[in-house]
Amino acid sequence: MLTAMVISPHADDAAAFCGGTLAKFADQGWHVVMVRVTDDSKDSVGLTVEETRRRNTEELHRAAEILGIAEIVELGYETDCLADASEVALRERFVYLFRKYRPYAVFTFDPFGLYEGNMDHIRVAQAVEEAFWVSCFDLHHPEHFAEGLEPFSVCERWYFGRHLPEANHAEDVSEYMERKVEAVCAHRQMMRNTFNQYRLQLRTWGRRMPWLEEAMDGDMRPLLALFFQEQANGVARAFGLPEGRMAEAFRLVRFGDLEELFQTMSEPLPDAQPAPVRPTLDRPPESPRWSAEQLEQIFPVDIDQRIRLMGHHHLCAGAFEELFASPLFRAGYGELVARLQPSPDVLIESIYGYDIFCYQCSYWSEEEGRCVTGWQNKISKDAAVLAHLGLRTGQVTRLEDLQRLLAERVTPADLERFCGPGEWKCEFYLLGICQRGYERLRERFGVSQGGEG
Ligand SMILES: [Zn+2]
């Protein structure tokens, strides 16, 4: 069973910002844990602090029941005072709870959301964002390990907020809006206080809104349902969901820039439970960038007899075997791998222009019709590699002869200079497979380790 943890600065934040999604997850069999950070002891109208704390806690338990939240963890901080609390102490609580409950997904305010005027929200968001990585460190809070806990990392961070410029995911909660509104209405004291704030502001303006005042002491549902349904309709529209659907917006974060790499290179653990599918993150393999007609133009019919390569791509021939076996290379160059069987007799022609590696490379710009690393970069690297190998443009070499030349002339340091991080870096070299390919090449041609050049 997967666990979702919602970290709610105040009792009502969970229902208001992600109540639909929590109810949906609970229905799908998730164990939903709520962490309530403050005591909400000030959030009411006309009650004592003691009465406020008691009523808000009772109402939270009712709302949690409606949403299917299985467990509530109370941290008991004084409400609306987190601005003065220690962020590191607050973070330690979240680290502890991550290690204890091991949630797959955590929900809270976006630490980078905009127009957030509540310091409790901001401090909780910041502390959760830090707890996310601190919980992995075995030197942070080793006292937790005495209880049998271990370093742990949450997989998914579901950030919500008042204004999310980077929202990347809309969870369709159309079937859960009823429960969300019911849960929000359960927070009667807190909602009354919200209405009262508008009542006071309207009064300063010199006006009143009878519907609002009636809702304060009567049925809140029509007003709250209107507000939350409008909001959820807007989210669904913005994300292109079918007309009439309702959704909650999130900035859903997993591996960031490494998402694509991990999608391609990772393999399932034998004992793992199946991970939920996230259409906005689990990108399906891109549809082929080229039509069949274009592919015929890009790949010559005699590709198994003759390949045209620009100067610096001659280096790739030293690691063809490793590159063609690499899942990441195959993801980018599937068409090339499928069509080319590099036999020792394939002729390699050295050319000035772009070659079959370029068109599917991530550095290739279709709009500009060129490599985004720039002409100068390409020409300087081509010239340097050809000079190093003693080849000229226009020259034709058998693949096996070229590979022998590469084994003899290209040392590990040469390869690092031509392809490693630096002015000529190659993203496939960074996978670490090319140096291995060259080692094998030197063995094959009986060249001593390190080459002779
Ligand atoms: Zn709040």
Side-chain angles (χ1 to χ4, degrees):
M1 186 195 279
L2 292 167
T3 296
M5 177 177 281
V6 54
I7 301 185
S8 196
H10 311 114
D12 60 341
D13 296 322
F17 286 94
C18 61
T21 304
L22 295 178
K24 184 175 176 178
F25 276 36
D27 267 20
Q28 288 172 351
W30 289 61
H31 181 70
V32 182
V33 178
M34 174 171 168
V35 180
R36 178 203 197 184
V37 180
T38 71
D39 61 2
D40 300 302
S41 56
K42 311 278 167 54
D43 205 344
S44 66
V45 184
L47 301 179
T48 65
V49 164
E50 271 317 308
E51 186 67 359
T52 301
R53 190 182 289 126
R54 190 182 65 76
R55 295 277 283 272
N56 281 339
T57 303
E58 275 173 19
E59 289 172 1
L60 168 62
H61 281 263
R62 173 79 194 112
E65 203 178 299
I66 294 164
L67 296 177
I69 291 171
E71 212 173 318
I72 298 171
V73 178
E74 298 274 6
L75 296 188
Y77 279 87
E78 186 181 355
T79 200
D80 303 330
C81 297
L82 286 182
D84 273 352
S86 155
E87 190 268 347
V88 174
L90 184 59
R91 184 182 80 186
E92 183 277 332
R93 286 291 79 200
F94 299 150
V95 169
Y96 174 79
L97 292 168
F98 287 172
R99 288 171 175 174
K100 180 174 175 189
Y101 287 93
R102 305 172 69 81
Y104 186 90
V106 66
F107 291 76
T108 199
F109 281 94
D110 190 340
F112 307 106
L114 292 180
Y115 309 120
E116 177 52 70
N118 188 310
M119 281 302 289
D120 284 2
H121 296 179
I122 293 171
R123 294 309 284 259
V124 166
Q126 291 171 336
V128 170
E129 175 77 352
E130 284 209 321
F132 162 71
W133 53 267
V134 169
S135 61
C136 304
F137 284 38
D138 53 12
L139 292 178
H140 269 306
H141 306 296
E143 70 276 14
H144 297 167
F145 308 140
E147 286 182 39
L149 304 181
E150 290 173 10
F152 174 79
S153 182
V154 170
C155 183
E156 295 177 344
R157 285 161 284 162
W158 292 60
Y159 288 131
F160 51 73
R162 295 186 206 276
H163 189 65
L164 297 177
E166 303 279 324
N168 61 355
H169 178 77
E171 188 69 30
D172 188 331
V173 293
S174 311
E175 284 74 33
Y176 297 89
M177 278 309 288
E178 285 290 315
R179 275 165 70 187
K180 172 177 177 145
V181 170
E182 203 189 326
V184 172
C185 291
H187 293 289
R188 184 158 182 89
Q189 304 314 314
M190 300 179 85
M191 291 304 118
R192 282 191 82 233
N193 193 18
T194 302
F195 292 165
N196 192 45
Q197 292 165 60
Y198 287 119
R199 191 183 65 86
L200 291 173
Q201 194 179 3
L202 281 160
R203 185 201 275 176
T204 309
W205 189 28
R207 299 179 79 97
R208 61 186 287 254
M209 187 170 131
W211 191 21
L212 192 75
E213 288 169 22
E214 281 159 28
M216 250 187 90
D217 295 310
D219 187 4
M220 296 178 165
R221 198 185 164 85
L223 196 57
L224 288 172
L226 180 74
F227 172 77
F228 283 102
Q229 283 170 6
E230 276 298 304
Q231 188 191 48
N233 270 319
V235 171
R237 260 197 306 278
F239 278 84
L241 270 61
E243 192 52 40
R245 301 303 288 177
M246 290 178 276
E248 288 171 336
F250 297 94
R251 184 167 70 86
L252 172 47
V253 193
R254 217 154 58 171
F255 298 105
D257 290 345
L258 294 175
E259 182 73 35
E260 211 165 338
L261 179 73
F262 290 170
Q263 292 277 351
T264 318
M265 305 287 284
S266 61
E267 50 191 61
L269 287 167
D271 54 346
Q273 50 188 329
V277 176
R278 304 275 177 246
T280 49
L281 283 177
D282 295 334
R283 293 170 232 189
E286 276 183 34
S287 54
R289 286 170 60 177
W290 309 98
S291 68
E293 210 170 83
Q294 286 169 320
L295 285 171
E296 287 314 315
Q297 294 295 324
I298 293 168
F299 296 103
V301 283
D302 63 349
I303 189 168
D304 280 327
Q305 285 110 57
R306 196 180 183 93
I307 319 170
R308 289 154 195 89
L309 290 183
M310 67 166 72
H312 74 267
H313 283 171
H314 282 63
L315 292 174
C316 308
F320 268 167
E321 213 177 305
E322 285 68 23
L323 286 169
F324 281 29
S326 147
L328 204 64
F329 187 86
R330 295 171 79 96
Y333 290 98
E335 286 289 346
L336 178 64
V337 173
R339 282 160 198 255
L340 174 63
Q341 319 287 326
S343 79
D345 290 322
V346 176
L347 296 177
I348 309 289
E349 180 185 348
S350 171
I351 59 163
Y352 271 124
Y354 291 118
D355 62 32
I356 45 172
F357 281 94
C358 297
Y359 303 116
Q360 289 176 306
C361 174
S362 62
Y363 290 139
W364 180 257
S365 162
E366 232 171 303
E367 294 73 33
E368 298 174 49
R370 66 180 187 100
C371 177
V372 295
T373 67
W375 268 104
Q376 216 167 359
N377 183 65
K378 167 187 149 41
I379 290 171
S380 69
K381 188 171 178 181
D382 282 353
V385 171
L386 289 180
H388 188 85
L389 297 176
L391 293 174
R392 285 173 293 102
T393 304
Q395 202 166 334
V396 178
T397 323
R398 276 180 73 243
L399 178 58
E400 191 175 40
D401 297 339
L402 173 64
Q403 288 178 330
R404 181 179 292 111
L405 188 68
L406 293 169
E408 288 167 358
R409 296 269 177 101
V410 182
T411 65
D414 292 333
L415 201 61
E416 179 74 16
R417 179 165 69 92
F418 287 130
C419 312
E423 55 172 338
W424 291 326
K425 76 176 156 76
C426 168
E427 53 183 8
F428 289 108
Y429 179 80
L430 300 178
L431 296 176
I433 55 178
C434 297
Q435 288 285 13
R436 275 210 306 279
Y438 271 74
E439 264 169 50
R440 272 235 286 261
L441 208 62
R442 285 181 211 108
E443 267 168 43
R444 192 171 123 202
F445 292 106
V447 177
S448 64
Q449 186 68 24
E452 293 164 0

